[in-house]
């Protein structure tokens, strides 16, 4: 069984690497625990290394690799587990001189709109609300990224996030933390 898993990981990584080399799109379906994340991350590292070694790429013109995940949990795992592990292994093997770098780009629905927050706080001012949820909501005056706030309800999150389209006539636009 171990050989089969290793074979699947290597096959997946080859598909990803070849698609990247040929500037194509690769769609891969594999079960849980097969190593899809490691496969595409290693493929990206190999592509970068290969393009520099063969002269196919100018290090000053290297574009970043963009990875879109299906969950915030996977984003966190990539940043805190996958990237540090790959960096350590590849540096120990002499394949990298410096650790890999990664950042998370989030959509606006993860951030607070102060105008909408003000409306929501006013709406609950004289109503019964779970104490932890109310405290979480009020903490948004100091916290901008809602993902860092514990106990914030999904309902409140939807009501106070930066809207998909911000109106130009918004009264808080000049002081907006998002814009």
């Amino acid at each position: 069984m171990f050989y089969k898993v290793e074979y699947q990981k290597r096959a997946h990584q080859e598909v990803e690497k070849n698609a990247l080399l040929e500037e194509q799109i690769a769609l891969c379906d594999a079960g849980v625990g097969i190593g899809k994340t490691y496969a595409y991350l290693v493929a990206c590292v190999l592509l970068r290394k290969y393009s520099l070694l063969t002269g196919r790429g100018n290090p000053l013109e290297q574009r970043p690799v963009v990875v879109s995940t299906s969950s915030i949990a996977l984003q966190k795992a990539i940043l805190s587990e996958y990237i540090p592990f790959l960096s350590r292994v590849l540096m120990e093997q002499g394949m990298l001189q410096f650790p890999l770098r990664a950042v998370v780009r989030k959509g606006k629905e993860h951030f607070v709109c102060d105008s909408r927050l003000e409306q929501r706080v006013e709406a609950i001012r004289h109503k019964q609300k779970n104490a932890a949820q109310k405290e979480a909501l009020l903490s948004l005056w100091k916290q901008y990224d809602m993902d860092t706030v514990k106990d914030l309800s999904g309902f409140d999150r939807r009501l106070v996030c930066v809207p998909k389209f911000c109106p130009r006539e918004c009264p808080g636009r000049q002081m907006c933390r998002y814009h």
Side-chain angles (χ1 to χ4, degrees), residues 112 114-115 117-118 121 137-143 177:
V112 180
D114 289 333
S115 293
L117 176 60
E118 188 175 349
V121 168
L137 185 65
L138 295 174
S139 76
L140 293 175
W141 289 116
K142 294 180 181 168
Q143 296 290 329
R177 292 186 279 174

Side-chain angles (χ1 to χ4, degrees), residues 109-127:
E109 68 274 5
H110 295 270
F111 301 101
V112 180
C113 169
D114 289 333
S115 293
R116 294 178 77 178
L117 176 60
E118 188 175 349
Q119 291 171 8
R120 180 66 181 140
V121 168
E122 183 58 36
I124 65 158
R125 185 174 309 278
H126 302 294
K127 294 184 178 170

Side-chain angles (χ1 to χ4, degrees), residues 17-158:
K17 179 180 60 80
N18 290 337
L20 289 167
L21 282 170
E22 297 165 11
E23 297 182 4
Q24 299 294 313
I25 294 173
L27 298 176
C28 300
D29 184 26
V32 174
I34 296 299
K36 296 178 291 293
T37 304
Y38 278 123
Y40 61 70
L41 291 174
V42 169
C44 291
V45 171
L46 290 176
L47 173 72
R48 180 67 50 91
K49 189 86 172 164
Y50 174 78
S51 66
L52 291 175
L53 291 174
T54 61
R56 287 185 66 191
N58 179 339
L60 299 176
E61 294 176 0
Q62 291 291 320
R63 292 177 285 176
V65 172
V66 177
V67 175
S68 178
T69 65
S70 61
S71 70
I72 291 173
L74 182 54
Q75 288 175 357
K76 289 178 180 178
I78 289 172
L79 282 178
S80 65
E81 298 169 29
Y82 290 81
I83 296 290
F85 175 76
L86 280 176
S87 291
R88 189 180 79 246
V89 168
L90 295 174
M91 287 174 66
E92 286 172 0
Q93 297 300 312
M95 294 181 73
L96 292 178
Q97 293 178 321
F98 304 102
L100 299 169
R101 294 178 299 156
V103 297
V104 172
R105 301 287 302 234
K106 299 180 184 183
K108 55 171 69 175
E109 68 274 5
H110 295 270
F111 301 101
V112 180
C113 169
D114 289 333
S115 293
R116 294 178 77 178
L117 176 60
E118 188 175 349
Q119 291 171 8
R120 180 66 181 140
V121 168
E122 183 58 36
I124 65 158
R125 185 174 309 278
H126 302 294
K127 294 184 178 170
Q128 293 283 65
K129 185 162 177 68
N130 173 298
Q133 290 179 353
K134 186 173 186 175
E135 185 178 324
L137 185 65
L138 295 174
S139 76
L140 293 175
W141 289 116
K142 294 180 181 168
Q143 296 290 329
Y144 177 56
D145 182 348
M146 290 192 288
D147 294 338
T148 64
V149 176
K150 187 179 175 216
D151 296 324
L152 185 63
S153 74
F155 182 74
D156 285 336
R157 178 184 284 273
R158 286 187 299 277

